[in-house]
Structure formats: structure tokens, C-alpha cells
Amino acid sequence: MTSTKSPSQVPVGVDPTRPSIARIYGGFLGGKDVYEVDRQVMRKINDAVPEAVHIARGNRAFLNRACRFLSRESRIDQFLDCGSGLPTAENTHQIVQRFNPEARVVYVDNDPVVLAHGRALLTENENVLMVSADIFNAPEVMENMVVGNHLDLTEPVVLLQVGTMHHVEGDAVAVMRRYIDALAPGSYVVFSHFFDPEEPELTRIARRIENVLVNGPMGAGRFRTRAEIMEMLEGLELVPSNDLGDSGLVACDEWWPDGPALTPLSGAARCIVGAVGRKP
């Protein structure tokens, strides 16, 4: 099945012959703004790991819970969401403004589809903006005039890098270091990343998906180890992942879940981890 969009319906700057990670991620969450080239990648991922959809769902649910927590507990009213992806049912601004209608949010992305849909959605919300910038270039984001005018970066902010850094093929540690260094003390970082648990069966799952992403038309999507991911979070005090005070970096579905789990996590669900950290 090919895209039902006519050429006039394709946003300016979009190449419907090249897959988009934002559209693929949105597709796994049930979104309809995907093209046949995106579906081809989704089919290859599903062929490699039929439960791969659990990664996208776990990641999104983690973002929602982290935003609820920080909106209630941190008293921070400004959020910088990098690589926000296509609008879905529960977007960052909808979650945080439910607790604080005056909360300010800036979404940052450079995918033309994301920008087109996001700006259309936000036309009537003066506290929310969408900015086009390269999220893997921290100075370009943090020094962006629109970001600086909408958010007071001398005060604490919540920075979201959820499901983004695994698409950095270069020095992801350096990218995160620049972001963390630029944040005011008291800021929080919400972070998730594809994970290699370094257990034979789970590592095989991680590598099958990674092979589709990295060696296919996407060209990116690394599954990194705990040590590699923790290096990206250096300088942050991680919030415990549950009321027992356990490690702050856990499978996304295990970070302060909304209730008890009636079934064990799938192998794929264990291949994405999340954490929330505070800059002292």
C-alpha cells in the first residue's frame, strides 16, 4: 500500500522516497503520516523483531510519565523538547500545561513533516513554539534566538532528549556534554536510548533491529551499553527509578510505572532505557 497523499499534499521539503525516523516512530505509535518507504523499513523491523513496537510504546509512555512527574514536582515551567517527532495524542505541552497552563514549551526538530504538522497544531497556543534546528548541534539549539526569547535559559529548564541520541553516529557523549554544560543548575534532563543489555538473547534482539536501521536507508540507530549510556549522563544526579531507590537508568517501562505489570516485559521492551537526571 502506497501513501494516499497526492504531490500537493506533501509538505515542502519532504522527500517521500527517503524514510524518516519521525514518521517511522509515529507509525509504530499508530500514526498515519507515513509513506511506503517508511512502511518498508517498518516491515523489515517487524520481520527482524515482531515485538519491536514495544520499544516505541515504552519510550512514549516513559516520556509521558516523566513530564507528569516534573510538572508536579520540579516547579519548572519551561521545557525544551528536542527531536519531538510527529504530534500524537499526548504531546509534551499538553501534559505539562494540564498541570500548569502557563508552562512554556519549545519543540526542536528539522524534519519538514514534523515542522509542518507541529506548527499547524500550535497556532492557537502562544506558550508553545516549534523551532527548526539540528538537535545534534547543541550550540545551534541553545543559542537559537527563538529558543532564547521564549525560554529563560539562565533559569532551570527541562531538556528532553527522548529517543534521539541513538541516531548520533559520531560522539554522542560530546553532544550531551554540550547540552548539559549549557543548562542552568537545577535543570532536569529526560533521556532515553536504545539499549544493549549485554545478555546474549537480548543482545541478539538489539543487533537485529540495529542492523535494519544502521545498514539500511536510515543509516543510524545504535544500541549502546549501560556504560556507554551512563557516560552521556555524566554530571547529572539521576532520579531513582522507583520508591525502593533503585538505579535511575532502567527499561523505559520500569521507570515509575503507572501500576503493576500483569505480564513480563518483552525482550524488545528491555532494549530501550530511560532516566531523568538533575543538574546540581
Side-chain angles (χ1 to χ4, degrees), residues 38-113:
D38 305 310
R39 295 191 186 93
Q40 290 173 7
V41 175
M42 292 171 67
R43 285 194 289 268
K44 289 180 180 179
I45 294 173
N46 281 326
D47 288 344
V49 179
E51 59 200 23
V53 66
H54 296 171
I55 292 179
R57 290 175 180 169
N59 186 64
R60 190 72 194 190
F62 160 72
L63 180 150
N64 291 354
R65 295 195 304 277
C67 284
R68 292 203 310 263
F69 160 70
L70 290 170
S71 297
R72 290 194 310 261
E73 303 295 335
S74 74
R75 298 184 181 275
I76 297 175
D77 62 359
Q78 43 185 12
F79 293 74
L80 181 60
D81 189 346
C82 294
S84 52
L86 286 166
T88 184
E90 282 282 89
N91 299 289
T92 297
H93 74 280
Q94 293 167 319
I95 298 169
V96 302
Q97 288 184 345
R98 192 172 300 134
F99 294 91
N100 178 3
E102 301 305 314
R104 288 162 290 149
V105 179
V106 175
Y107 293 107
V108 184
D109 214 302
N110 61 0
D111 185 302
V113 175

Side-chain angles (χ1 to χ4, degrees), residues 16-193:
T17 68
R18 296 185 62 184
S20 158
I21 188 60
R23 296 195 304 263
I24 290 169
Y25 178 54
F28 275 119
L29 291 174
K32 305 302 181 184
D33 291 296
V34 292
Y35 301 105
E36 178 58 27
V37 67
D38 305 310
R39 295 191 186 93
Q40 290 173 7
V41 175
M42 292 171 67
R43 285 194 289 268
K44 289 180 180 179
I45 294 173
N46 281 326
D47 288 344
V49 179
E51 59 200 23
V53 66
H54 296 171
I55 292 179
R57 290 175 180 169
N59 186 64
R60 190 72 194 190
F62 160 72
L63 180 150
N64 291 354
R65 295 195 304 277
C67 284
R68 292 203 310 263
F69 160 70
L70 290 170
S71 297
R72 290 194 310 261
E73 303 295 335
S74 74
R75 298 184 181 275
I76 297 175
D77 62 359
Q78 43 185 12
F79 293 74
L80 181 60
D81 189 346
C82 294
S84 52
L86 286 166
T88 184
E90 282 282 89
N91 299 289
T92 297
H93 74 280
Q94 293 167 319
I95 298 169
V96 302
Q97 288 184 345
R98 192 172 300 134
F99 294 91
N100 178 3
E102 301 305 314
R104 288 162 290 149
V105 179
V106 175
Y107 293 107
V108 184
D109 214 302
N110 61 0
D111 185 302
V113 175
V114 172
L115 294 169
H117 284 271
R119 285 169 175 158
L121 177 71
L122 303 173
T123 53
E124 296 181 0
N125 194 325
E126 63 182 12
N127 286 329
V128 187
L129 297 176
M130 176 156 274
V131 171
S132 176
D134 179 3
I135 65 168
F136 302 138
N137 184 333
E140 180 179 326
V141 174
M142 302 303 284
E143 297 170 12
N144 182 281
M145 184 177 298
V146 176
V147 173
N149 287 338
H150 197 62
L151 305 179
D152 181 357
L153 298 180
T154 67
E155 295 292 328
V157 302
V158 174
L159 170 71
L160 294 100
Q161 289 283 2
V162 178
T164 55
M165 287 296 124
H166 42 239
H167 297 296
V168 175
E169 284 298 292
D171 192 345
V173 173
V175 175
M176 283 304 298
R177 169 52 45 207
R178 293 188 184 99
Y179 272 111
I180 293 170
D181 286 348
L183 295 175
S187 294
Y188 282 83
V189 175
V190 180
F191 183 89
S192 68
H193 197 290

